[in-house]
Amino acid sequence: MAAADRTAPAPENWEADLTLLGLVAILDPPREAAAGTVTACRAAGITPVLVTGDHPLTAEAVAQRLGIASAQDKAVTGEEIQRGTERDLMTVRVFARTTPEQKVGVVECWRRAGHVVAMTGDGVNDGPALRRADIGVAMGRRGTEVARQAADLVLADDDIGTVVAAVEEGRRVYANVRRFLLYALAGGSAEILVMLTGPALGMPLPLLPAQILWINLLTHGLPGVALGAEPTAGDSMHRPPRPPEESVLGQGLWARLLVLGVLITAVTLAVGYWAHGTGRPWQTLVFLVLGATQLGVGLGSRARPGTLAKPFLLLALAGALALQIAGAYVPVLRDLLGTRPPGWADLGTVAPRSSSDTR
């Protein structure tokens, strides 16, 4: 085998070859889904910021391609941060040539302003910022061991879109918690008000203990579980993030809870007062109406009302309503609950009142 001739002359276009080689070496285009992920973040009220140790021109090109920054937005370098040339770091969307300490400084700047900061990274230099952020997200495949140990979450697929999916799931869970609290607390407060106010209207004991337990079992059983499994609302990722200090009962939920509790109480007591004055089985009608109106609140709490998508809640409410009615007509349950079967005409009279829109 002949040895290579090291004295062979270089090709005439060697400068072009080197330039092409350099372009190929530095060209690392973002994933196709990355731009869509940034767009989804912006729609959800999440502000994307690029903080990198790369060259400013590289950082600007990537940020513009992904939609993080516009052509007018220039990268702020770590040297400028150190000199104090750029004072308001929260107006900057691209940072380049930054040190690990400066990455931490950017994270702290956003946190001091009251924002919840998520930091993604894969290198050793990202470790301090990942640890300091509210949620540190490391890459599982290409990420270093330091980054994975410092992070709170590790993406097994290295797909930043997983973070957006996690945000959507978090909003779904939070919204379902609020739905269940509204449903459960409104019904519970109505039960208390009925028991306290009923005697003033001539009903000495509006409900028996077994009847109260039966209502709670039906309303907080399968319907409660189904509320927790409600799908994501269609506009959940187009709403701004809630303030971190906001109560889970904020945004007017307390007012809705009180209004619904009073409404359920008023409907229940009105039916009971009418039945008591006409000699009908008023206690059984109070039992039926109180349970049915609470189930009506659950129906009005659907994430996507008017559709048959994810019908688990509809089936759970229908099953609970059937058992509620069975408590007044099935002999075994009547003996257990102390109810008397009202006439079907009476049931038809109170049904429209119980099914009024309580959303």
Side-chain angles (χ1 to χ4, degrees):
M1 180 179 297
D5 186 2
R6 297 184 178 181
T7 61
E12 295 180 358
N13 61 339
W14 63 273
E15 291 183 349
D17 289 345
L18 287 179
T19 303
L20 178 61
L21 179 61
L23 288 175
V24 173
I26 67 172
L27 183 59
D28 186 15
R31 295 184 180 183
E32 295 181 358
T37 300
V38 173
T39 302
C41 287
R42 289 190 178 280
I46 302 171
T47 303
V49 178
L50 178 62
V51 185
T52 179
D54 293 336
H55 192 276
L57 294 179
T58 304
E60 291 173 3
V62 172
Q64 292 172 17
R65 178 176 295 186
L66 294 180
I68 296 176
S70 63
Q72 291 74 27
D73 294 325
K74 300 301 180 181
V76 172
T77 64
E79 184 179 354
E80 292 173 328
I81 296 176
Q82 188 174 3
R83 292 199 309 262
T85 305
E86 185 65 38
R87 295 183 179 180
D88 190 1
L89 299 182
M90 292 187 60
T91 63
V92 181
R93 296 295 175 262
V94 185
F95 296 89
R97 293 299 189 198
T98 54
T99 64
E101 294 80 6
Q102 291 164 346
K103 292 181 180 180
V104 173
V106 174
V107 171
E108 285 294 338
C109 178
W110 282 87
R111 291 190 66 191
R112 284 194 299 269
H115 296 275
V116 177
V117 180
M119 172 76 183
T120 63
D122 56 8
V124 174
N125 293 336
D126 298 324
L130 289 171
R131 176 61 66 182
R132 190 64 59 88
D134 295 290
I135 305 173
V137 183
M139 303 300 157
R141 294 180 181 176
R142 67 174 184 270
T144 62
E145 185 64 25
V146 171
R148 290 196 295 267
Q149 291 295 329
D152 301 292
L153 298 174
V154 178
L155 301 181
D157 55 1
D158 283 12
D159 186 0
I160 196 64
T162 305
V163 176
V164 178
V167 171
E168 184 176 10
E169 178 65 12
R171 293 189 176 186
R172 184 191 73 84
V173 172
Y174 184 77
N176 288 345
V177 170
R178 284 171 54 87
R179 290 189 183 96
F180 179 78
L181 289 176
L182 176 65
Y183 170 68
L185 294 179
S189 61
E191 293 175 9
I192 295 174
L193 290 175
V194 166
M195 295 299 294
L196 293 177
T197 312
L201 298 176
M203 293 175 283
L205 188 61
L207 291 172
L208 297 175
Q211 295 171 353
I212 297 176
L213 291 175
W214 183 259
I215 292 175
N216 289 335
L217 176 64
L218 294 183
T219 56
H220 296 171
L222 285 179
V225 175
L227 275 175
E230 275 291 274
T232 306
D235 61 343
S236 65
M237 291 301 287
H238 295 277
R239 300 174 184 172
R242 63 179 181 85
E245 67 278 2
E246 181 182 271
S247 168
V248 70
L249 295 176
Q251 294 185 353
L253 196 66
W254 264 117
R256 288 187 61 193
L257 189 158
L258 295 176
V259 169
L260 285 173
V262 172
L263 179 61
I264 295 172
T265 302
V267 172
T268 303
L269 291 178
V271 171
Y273 183 77
W274 165 78
H276 186 268
T278 56
R280 290 174 172 83
W282 60 270
Q283 192 177 61
T284 300
L285 289 175
V286 168
F287 164 74
L288 291 174
V289 172
L290 183 58
T293 49
Q294 290 189 49
L295 295 176
V297 174
L299 181 63
S301 300
R302 296 188 66 201
R304 298 179 181 180
T307 68
L308 295 178
K310 303 286 185 178
F312 182 42
L313 179 58
L314 292 177
L315 296 176
L317 292 173
L321 181 61
L323 289 173
Q324 182 75 8
I325 297 174
Y329 290 96
V330 176
V332 175
L333 294 178
R334 289 209 314 264
D335 296 338
L336 177 65
L337 301 175
T339 59
R340 289 191 299 151
W344 290 106
D346 296 336
L347 193 63
T349 301
V350 302
R353 294 175 174 84
S354 303
S355 60
S356 59
D357 188 8
T358 54
R359 187 177 180 185

